[in-house]
Amino acid sequence: MAQVTGPVEQSLRQTALGAVVGGAGLHGGHAWLGLPYAAPPVGALRWRAPQPAAPWEGERMALRHPPACPQFSGLGGEPGELQGSEDCLYLNIFAPAFAPESLPQGEARLPVMLWIHGGGNTIGDAAFYDGSLLASEQGVILVAVQYRIGPFGWFRHAALRSGASPAEASGNFGLLDLLAALRWLRGNIAAFGGDPGNITVFGESAGGSNTFALLFSPLSQGLFQRAIVQSGSPRMLPGAAAESRRALAEARQQHGGAGFPENTSGPVAQRLLGAAAGGPAEAVAAALRSANWRKVLGAYQGRRDLGMIAMPTLFADGFALPSEPALEALAAGRYRQMPVIIGSNRDEPKFFQVGDPALVRWLLGVPIGLRDPLRYDREAEYGAKWFKLSGVDEPARRMRAAQGGSVFAYRFDWDEEPKILWWDFSRIFGAAHAFEIPFLFGNFDMGRLTPALFNEENEAPRLELGRRMRSYWAEFARSGNPGSGGGDLPAWTAWDDSRPTAGRFMVFDTEAGGGVRMSSDALSAEGVLTQIAADPRFADSAERCESLTKLQLWWGGLSEADLRKGGCDPQPPQSAGN
């Protein structure tokens, strides 16, 4: 975890809470790490709405990354290891280098881009996302924010709701943190040369889903002006699904998602408090808030892939988030209508499939081959199509109908990982989930996996692809339209369903993979199901049922008629003689 060098005298800035001094960014410009935007949510403030941060005297040295929020260790750590601190509501700011007297003023202020990290809303932090290249190269202010994750960010329990404010009763504490960070930016980002009236929220995976949630939230009015959703989902769970096994199980049939019924708040509180979980609400709330954070995390069961907990998050409670189903809200235009980019990666599921020992052989922490190549490719293809259909195409269609030509979409296709001996990493990983992030931030250090992903041979074309992507993202932040990336790149036009050959999304790839280009391809549920039914790579109906069950588990909404259309008969009719 790199810290910035400094302090740098020219980086002195005056915020509403006090003076801060930063350092030199890794790729140029200035960087301020660990600025508090809310009070530490500890003790009596656990599972409460974020409170204002306390001011300080003198100059605060903002040179070190803040501690991550409590979580299980992910990549690079020991499985099951706990890390972090509840005192974690901080953000990092990256900006071009300006002397205090030369800060942009008025209309010259720079667009602001607030990055929300991914990790299933249960792992992740801001430290990995050094924004100095994007900020210095493209002339923007990049802010990477931390927010409560796991049970500390998403916990809805009857005892905590008793006498609570509507915001706190929602259980969406991570979302409330993001709203608090946006309010902090509105009051302070001008001190860093940023325009508080031009803020783009963007995030990947859970960060993309949280970006969708901010678009839906009635509490976000006026806090941001543009949004970029990278591999996210508009899916929200009913509030009851946060607390009840049965409600979560029912919600997964309709909405999909990775929630584990034993990790709803009722069973968790029972494991944490024992018989005391059935006591008076006030006593239960006090016991929950005073429990050691390590024991709170330890009360969550099930698999923890990459450290992620399978638990319900983003509750449609009717206050912080509307109770209306997401796609219905989009179709009706009941969300924050603004310029938006929505996208996914061509091989999304491979990020998760590669960790499945039933599918992939591993040696010394590196994947070395596929056990069943046909099944691996088949599951990745249809998982990615359904991911794009539910997270990009369907939302884009509805948003385009509601707000017109300010909806843009993309697909990331880069898959030029090296071949080492007989190991074809381009097939194992491809354009997997989250693989666009190194291109946007210019950080290609992925730890022990780096040699399997990036080498000298693919360096020049991937660096150029990253520069192009940053140009589009920054131009969108400036104007609300990615256009030609502020230069002479291919024109990125809005999603258009007016005719079959109309452009719908931009494809991001190197010249060897076809280059950066618009595509008119479109997905529909009927089309994907028909492909599955006709695909000869499935040996029989049982294999089709297995594949469709996975789609149902993650995305929900598949009826028995849909399953049959996909070649799976969940309840075969009995013969006439029986």
PDB file of all heavy atoms in Angstrom, residues 196-224:
ATOM      1  N   PRO A 196     -18.297  21.982  -7.176  1.00  0.00           N
ATOM      2  CA  PRO A 196     -19.330  21.260  -6.415  1.00  0.00           C
ATOM      3  C   PRO A 196     -20.624  21.083  -7.177  1.00  0.00           C
ATOM      4  O   PRO A 196     -21.489  20.303  -6.764  1.00  0.00           O
ATOM      5  CB  PRO A 196     -19.526  22.130  -5.170  1.00  0.00           C
ATOM      6  CG  PRO A 196     -19.107  23.497  -5.597  1.00  0.00           C
ATOM      7  CD  PRO A 196     -17.999  23.299  -6.590  1.00  0.00           C
ATOM      8  N   GLY A 197     -20.773  21.784  -8.298  1.00  0.00           N
ATOM      9  CA  GLY A 197     -21.962  21.640  -9.130  1.00  0.00           C
ATOM     10  C   GLY A 197     -21.772  20.689 -10.288  1.00  0.00           C
ATOM     11  O   GLY A 197     -22.662  20.563 -11.144  1.00  0.00           O
ATOM     12  N   ASN A 198     -20.617  20.013 -10.349  1.00  0.00           N
ATOM     13  CA  ASN A 198     -20.359  19.045 -11.422  1.00  0.00           C
ATOM     14  C   ASN A 198     -19.628  17.847 -10.828  1.00  0.00           C
ATOM     15  O   ASN A 198     -18.402  17.728 -10.917  1.00  0.00           O
ATOM     16  CB  ASN A 198     -19.536  19.661 -12.551  1.00  0.00           C
ATOM     17  CG  ASN A 198     -19.358  18.708 -13.718  1.00  0.00           C
ATOM     18  OD1 ASN A 198     -19.948  17.631 -13.756  1.00  0.00           O
ATOM     19  ND2 ASN A 198     -18.537  19.097 -14.673  1.00  0.00           N
ATOM     20  N   ILE A 199     -20.412  16.966 -10.195  1.00  0.00           N
ATOM     21  CA  ILE A 199     -19.861  15.774  -9.545  1.00  0.00           C
ATOM     22  C   ILE A 199     -20.374  14.536 -10.262  1.00  0.00           C
ATOM     23  O   ILE A 199     -21.585  14.368 -10.441  1.00  0.00           O
ATOM     24  CB  ILE A 199     -20.240  15.731  -8.056  1.00  0.00           C
ATOM     25  CG1 ILE A 199     -19.592  16.916  -7.310  1.00  0.00           C
ATOM     26  CG2 ILE A 199     -19.819  14.409  -7.424  1.00  0.00           C
ATOM     27  CD1 ILE A 199     -19.968  17.002  -5.854  1.00  0.00           C
ATOM     28  N   THR A 200     -19.459  13.686 -10.684  1.00  0.00           N
ATOM     29  CA  THR A 200     -19.787  12.393 -11.294  1.00  0.00           C
ATOM     30  C   THR A 200     -19.531  11.299 -10.273  1.00  0.00           C
ATOM     31  O   THR A 200     -18.433  11.185  -9.738  1.00  0.00           O
ATOM     32  CB  THR A 200     -18.926  12.138 -12.541  1.00  0.00           C
ATOM     33  OG1 THR A 200     -19.204  13.132 -13.523  1.00  0.00           O
ATOM     34  CG2 THR A 200     -19.220  10.758 -13.126  1.00  0.00           C
ATOM     35  N   VAL A 201     -20.544  10.502  -9.982  1.00  0.00           N
ATOM     36  CA  VAL A 201     -20.386   9.326  -9.134  1.00  0.00           C
ATOM     37  C   VAL A 201     -20.114   8.129 -10.035  1.00  0.00           C
ATOM     38  O   VAL A 201     -20.847   7.904 -11.003  1.00  0.00           O
ATOM     39  CB  VAL A 201     -21.643   9.083  -8.282  1.00  0.00           C
ATOM     40  CG1 VAL A 201     -21.539   7.754  -7.542  1.00  0.00           C
ATOM     41  CG2 VAL A 201     -21.853  10.221  -7.292  1.00  0.00           C
ATOM     42  N   PHE A 202     -19.051   7.388  -9.767  1.00  0.00           N
ATOM     43  CA  PHE A 202     -18.807   6.175 -10.556  1.00  0.00           C
ATOM     44  C   PHE A 202     -18.240   5.091  -9.660  1.00  0.00           C
ATOM     45  O   PHE A 202     -17.555   5.354  -8.670  1.00  0.00           O
ATOM     46  CB  PHE A 202     -17.935   6.456 -11.778  1.00  0.00           C
ATOM     47  CG  PHE A 202     -16.460   6.725 -11.549  1.00  0.00           C
ATOM     48  CD1 PHE A 202     -15.504   6.029 -12.286  1.00  0.00           C
ATOM     49  CD2 PHE A 202     -16.016   7.699 -10.662  1.00  0.00           C
ATOM     50  CE1 PHE A 202     -14.152   6.283 -12.126  1.00  0.00           C
ATOM     51  CE2 PHE A 202     -14.662   7.968 -10.504  1.00  0.00           C
ATOM     52  CZ  PHE A 202     -13.722   7.254 -11.239  1.00  0.00           C
ATOM     53  N   GLY A 203     -18.590   3.848  -9.993  1.00  0.00           N
ATOM     54  CA  GLY A 203     -18.139   2.726  -9.191  1.00  0.00           C
ATOM     55  C   GLY A 203     -18.286   1.431  -9.962  1.00  0.00           C
ATOM     56  O   GLY A 203     -18.989   1.363 -10.969  1.00  0.00           O
ATOM     57  N   GLU A 204     -17.616   0.393  -9.444  1.00  0.00           N
ATOM     58  CA  GLU A 204     -17.580  -0.905 -10.125  1.00  0.00           C
ATOM     59  C   GLU A 204     -18.132  -1.984  -9.216  1.00  0.00           C
ATOM     60  O   GLU A 204     -17.919  -1.962  -8.004  1.00  0.00           O
ATOM     61  CB  GLU A 204     -16.133  -1.221 -10.524  1.00  0.00           C
ATOM     62  CG  GLU A 204     -15.961  -2.478 -11.359  1.00  0.00           C
ATOM     63  CD  GLU A 204     -15.767  -3.735 -10.493  1.00  0.00           C
ATOM     64  OE1 GLU A 204     -15.419  -3.587  -9.302  1.00  0.00           O
ATOM     65  OE2 GLU A 204     -15.976  -4.849 -11.013  1.00  0.00           O
ATOM     66  N   SER A 205     -18.853  -2.941  -9.803  1.00  0.00           N
ATOM     67  CA  SER A 205     -19.429  -4.066  -9.079  1.00  0.00           C
ATOM     68  C   SER A 205     -20.371  -3.542  -7.998  1.00  0.00           C
ATOM     69  O   SER A 205     -21.336  -2.857  -8.311  1.00  0.00           O
ATOM     70  CB  SER A 205     -18.313  -4.953  -8.510  1.00  0.00           C
ATOM     71  OG  SER A 205     -18.820  -6.181  -8.050  1.00  0.00           O
ATOM     72  N   ALA A 206     -20.106  -3.833  -6.709  1.00  0.00           N
ATOM     73  CA  ALA A 206     -20.960  -3.274  -5.665  1.00  0.00           C
ATOM     74  C   ALA A 206     -20.947  -1.752  -5.715  1.00  0.00           C
ATOM     75  O   ALA A 206     -21.958  -1.102  -5.425  1.00  0.00           O
ATOM     76  CB  ALA A 206     -20.493  -3.751  -4.291  1.00  0.00           C
ATOM     77  N   GLY A 207     -19.802  -1.169  -6.102  1.00  0.00           N
ATOM     78  CA  GLY A 207     -19.754   0.281  -6.266  1.00  0.00           C
ATOM     79  C   GLY A 207     -20.677   0.763  -7.368  1.00  0.00           C
ATOM     80  O   GLY A 207     -21.266   1.847  -7.279  1.00  0.00           O
ATOM     81  N   GLY A 208     -20.831  -0.055  -8.433  1.00  0.00           N
ATOM     82  CA  GLY A 208     -21.789   0.274  -9.483  1.00  0.00           C
ATOM     83  C   GLY A 208     -23.218   0.133  -8.998  1.00  0.00           C
ATOM     84  O   GLY A 208     -24.090   0.952  -9.315  1.00  0.00           O
ATOM     85  N   SER A 209     -23.491  -0.923  -8.216  1.00  0.00           N
ATOM     86  CA  SER A 209     -24.827  -1.098  -7.655  1.00  0.00           C
ATOM     87  C   SER A 209     -25.164   0.046  -6.701  1.00  0.00           C
ATOM     88  O   SER A 209     -26.303   0.525  -6.665  1.00  0.00           O
ATOM     89  CB  SER A 209     -24.911  -2.443  -6.917  1.00  0.00           C
ATOM     90  OG  SER A 209     -24.692  -3.519  -7.811  1.00  0.00           O
ATOM     91  N   ASN A 210     -24.175   0.499  -5.924  1.00  0.00           N
ATOM     92  CA  ASN A 210     -24.401   1.628  -5.031  1.00  0.00           C
ATOM     93  C   ASN A 210     -24.634   2.913  -5.815  1.00  0.00           C
ATOM     94  O   ASN A 210     -25.374   3.796  -5.365  1.00  0.00           O
ATOM     95  CB  ASN A 210     -23.215   1.792  -4.082  1.00  0.00           C
ATOM     96  CG  ASN A 210     -23.066   0.626  -3.129  1.00  0.00           C
ATOM     97  OD1 ASN A 210     -24.027  -0.098  -2.863  1.00  0.00           O
ATOM     98  ND2 ASN A 210     -21.868   0.416  -2.617  1.00  0.00           N
ATOM     99  N   THR A 211     -24.007   3.017  -6.988  1.00  0.00           N
ATOM    100  CA  THR A 211     -24.272   4.170  -7.848  1.00  0.00           C
ATOM    101  C   THR A 211     -25.716   4.150  -8.334  1.00  0.00           C
ATOM    102  O   THR A 211     -26.404   5.175  -8.333  1.00  0.00           O
ATOM    103  CB  THR A 211     -23.299   4.181  -9.039  1.00  0.00           C
ATOM    104  OG1 THR A 211     -21.954   4.231  -8.543  1.00  0.00           O
ATOM    105  CG2 THR A 211     -23.544   5.379  -9.937  1.00  0.00           C
ATOM    106  N   PHE A 212     -26.191   2.978  -8.757  1.00  0.00           N
ATOM    107  CA  PHE A 212     -27.612   2.850  -9.085  1.00  0.00           C
ATOM    108  C   PHE A 212     -28.471   3.260  -7.893  1.00  0.00           C
ATOM    109  O   PHE A 212     -29.470   3.974  -8.032  1.00  0.00           O
ATOM    110  CB  PHE A 212     -27.944   1.403  -9.467  1.00  0.00           C
ATOM    111  CG  PHE A 212     -27.975   1.124 -10.940  1.00  0.00           C
ATOM    112  CD1 PHE A 212     -27.267   0.055 -11.476  1.00  0.00           C
ATOM    113  CD2 PHE A 212     -28.746   1.902 -11.800  1.00  0.00           C
ATOM    114  CE1 PHE A 212     -27.313  -0.220 -12.841  1.00  0.00           C
ATOM    115  CE2 PHE A 212     -28.786   1.635 -13.162  1.00  0.00           C
ATOM    116  CZ  PHE A 212     -28.064   0.566 -13.687  1.00  0.00           C
ATOM    117  N   ALA A 213     -28.101   2.791  -6.681  1.00  0.00           N
ATOM    118  CA  ALA A 213     -28.883   3.109  -5.486  1.00  0.00           C
ATOM    119  C   ALA A 213     -28.945   4.604  -5.244  1.00  0.00           C
ATOM    120  O   ALA A 213     -29.991   5.140  -4.835  1.00  0.00           O
ATOM    121  CB  ALA A 213     -28.288   2.388  -4.271  1.00  0.00           C
ATOM    122  N   LEU A 214     -27.852   5.312  -5.490  1.00  0.00           N
ATOM    123  CA  LEU A 214     -27.861   6.763  -5.333  1.00  0.00           C
ATOM    124  C   LEU A 214     -28.790   7.422  -6.348  1.00  0.00           C
ATOM    125  O   LEU A 214     -29.416   8.444  -6.059  1.00  0.00           O
ATOM    126  CB  LEU A 214     -26.448   7.315  -5.463  1.00  0.00           C
ATOM    127  CG  LEU A 214     -25.506   6.998  -4.291  1.00  0.00           C
ATOM    128  CD1 LEU A 214     -24.067   7.342  -4.649  1.00  0.00           C
ATOM    129  CD2 LEU A 214     -25.940   7.766  -3.042  1.00  0.00           C
ATOM    130  N   LEU A 215     -28.886   6.841  -7.542  1.00  0.00           N
ATOM    131  CA  LEU A 215     -29.840   7.354  -8.530  1.00  0.00           C
ATOM    132  C   LEU A 215     -31.281   7.160  -8.055  1.00  0.00           C
ATOM    133  O   LEU A 215     -32.150   7.983  -8.328  1.00  0.00           O
ATOM    134  CB  LEU A 215     -29.649   6.654  -9.874  1.00  0.00           C
ATOM    135  CG  LEU A 215     -28.395   7.024 -10.673  1.00  0.00           C
ATOM    136  CD1 LEU A 215     -28.219   6.080 -11.855  1.00  0.00           C
ATOM    137  CD2 LEU A 215     -28.457   8.465 -11.157  1.00  0.00           C
ATOM    138  N   PHE A 216     -31.535   6.078  -7.342  1.00  0.00           N
ATOM    139  CA  PHE A 216     -32.886   5.801  -6.853  1.00  0.00           C
ATOM    140  C   PHE A 216     -33.215   6.570  -5.571  1.00  0.00           C
ATOM    141  O   PHE A 216     -34.380   6.860  -5.309  1.00  0.00           O
ATOM    142  CB  PHE A 216     -33.051   4.300  -6.573  1.00  0.00           C
ATOM    143  CG  PHE A 216     -33.118   3.438  -7.794  1.00  0.00           C
ATOM    144  CD1 PHE A 216     -32.233   2.382  -7.973  1.00  0.00           C
ATOM    145  CD2 PHE A 216     -34.077   3.663  -8.770  1.00  0.00           C
ATOM    146  CE1 PHE A 216     -32.299   1.572  -9.096  1.00  0.00           C
ATOM    147  CE2 PHE A 216     -34.151   2.853  -9.899  1.00  0.00           C
ATOM    148  CZ  PHE A 216     -33.263   1.807 -10.064  1.00  0.00           C
ATOM    149  N   SER A 217     -32.230   6.869  -4.751  1.00  0.00           N
ATOM    150  CA  SER A 217     -32.492   7.389  -3.413  1.00  0.00           C
ATOM    151  C   SER A 217     -33.139   8.771  -3.441  1.00  0.00           C
ATOM    152  O   SER A 217     -32.613   9.698  -4.071  1.00  0.00           O
ATOM    153  CB  SER A 217     -31.199   7.470  -2.602  1.00  0.00           C
ATOM    154  OG  SER A 217     -31.461   8.031  -1.329  1.00  0.00           O
ATOM    155  N   PRO A 218     -34.250   8.948  -2.742  1.00  0.00           N
ATOM    156  CA  PRO A 218     -34.856  10.285  -2.644  1.00  0.00           C
ATOM    157  C   PRO A 218     -34.014  11.244  -1.824  1.00  0.00           C
ATOM    158  O   PRO A 218     -34.295  12.449  -1.806  1.00  0.00           O
ATOM    159  CB  PRO A 218     -36.203  10.003  -1.961  1.00  0.00           C
ATOM    160  CG  PRO A 218     -36.019   8.712  -1.246  1.00  0.00           C
ATOM    161  CD  PRO A 218     -35.042   7.915  -2.047  1.00  0.00           C
ATOM    162  N   LEU A 219     -32.963  10.735  -1.149  1.00  0.00           N
ATOM    163  CA  LEU A 219     -32.116  11.589  -0.316  1.00  0.00           C
ATOM    164  C   LEU A 219     -30.969  12.223  -1.089  1.00  0.00           C
ATOM    165  O   LEU A 219     -30.212  13.016  -0.522  1.00  0.00           O
ATOM    166  CB  LEU A 219     -31.535  10.762   0.842  1.00  0.00           C
ATOM    167  CG  LEU A 219     -32.527   9.979   1.706  1.00  0.00           C
ATOM    168  CD1 LEU A 219     -31.786   9.205   2.783  1.00  0.00           C
ATOM    169  CD2 LEU A 219     -33.567  10.900   2.312  1.00  0.00           C
ATOM    170  N   SER A 220     -30.817  11.896  -2.385  1.00  0.00           N
ATOM    171  CA  SER A 220     -29.638  12.334  -3.143  1.00  0.00           C
ATOM    172  C   SER A 220     -29.876  13.581  -3.979  1.00  0.00           C
ATOM    173  O   SER A 220     -28.999  13.967  -4.754  1.00  0.00           O
ATOM    174  CB  SER A 220     -29.157  11.196  -4.055  1.00  0.00           C
ATOM    175  OG  SER A 220     -30.115  10.930  -5.078  1.00  0.00           O
ATOM    176  N   GLN A 221     -31.010  14.220  -3.840  1.00  0.00           N
ATOM    177  CA  GLN A 221     -31.354  15.382  -4.659  1.00  0.00           C
ATOM    178  C   GLN A 221     -30.244  16.438  -4.610  1.00  0.00           C
ATOM    179  O   GLN A 221     -29.834  16.894  -3.551  1.00  0.00           O
ATOM    180  CB  GLN A 221     -32.658  16.015  -4.166  1.00  0.00           C
ATOM    181  CG  GLN A 221     -33.079  17.277  -4.905  1.00  0.00           C
ATOM    182  CD  GLN A 221     -33.438  17.003  -6.356  1.00  0.00           C
ATOM    183  OE1 GLN A 221     -34.100  16.016  -6.663  1.00  0.00           O
ATOM    184  NE2 GLN A 221     -33.009  17.870  -7.248  1.00  0.00           N
ATOM    185  N   GLY A 222     -29.743  16.800  -5.802  1.00  0.00           N
ATOM    186  CA  GLY A 222     -28.779  17.877  -5.928  1.00  0.00           C
ATOM    187  C   GLY A 222     -27.356  17.543  -5.534  1.00  0.00           C
ATOM    188  O   GLY A 222     -26.485  18.420  -5.597  1.00  0.00           O
ATOM    189  N   LEU A 223     -27.069  16.297  -5.148  1.00  0.00           N
ATOM    190  CA  LEU A 223     -25.740  15.966  -4.653  1.00  0.00           C
ATOM    191  C   LEU A 223     -24.761  15.551  -5.742  1.00  0.00           C
ATOM    192  O   LEU A 223     -23.552  15.576  -5.523  1.00  0.00           O
ATOM    193  CB  LEU A 223     -25.835  14.860  -3.594  1.00  0.00           C
ATOM    194  CG  LEU A 223     -26.571  15.224  -2.303  1.00  0.00           C
ATOM    195  CD1 LEU A 223     -26.583  14.036  -1.343  1.00  0.00           C
ATOM    196  CD2 LEU A 223     -25.926  16.435  -1.638  1.00  0.00           C
ATOM    197  N   PHE A 224     -25.243  15.132  -6.913  1.00  0.00           N
ATOM    198  CA  PHE A 224     -24.353  14.795  -8.024  1.00  0.00           C
ATOM    199  C   PHE A 224     -25.107  14.975  -9.323  1.00  0.00           C
ATOM    200  O   PHE A 224     -26.338  15.037  -9.347  1.00  0.00           O
ATOM    201  CB  PHE A 224     -23.765  13.391  -7.877  1.00  0.00           C
ATOM    202  CG  PHE A 224     -24.771  12.259  -7.935  1.00  0.00           C
ATOM    203  CD1 PHE A 224     -24.841  11.412  -9.030  1.00  0.00           C
ATOM    204  CD2 PHE A 224     -25.637  12.025  -6.874  1.00  0.00           C
ATOM    205  CE1 PHE A 224     -25.745  10.363  -9.076  1.00  0.00           C
ATOM    206  CE2 PHE A 224     -26.550  10.976  -6.902  1.00  0.00           C
ATOM    207  CZ  PHE A 224     -26.603  10.143  -8.011  1.00  0.00           C
TER     208      PHE A 224
END
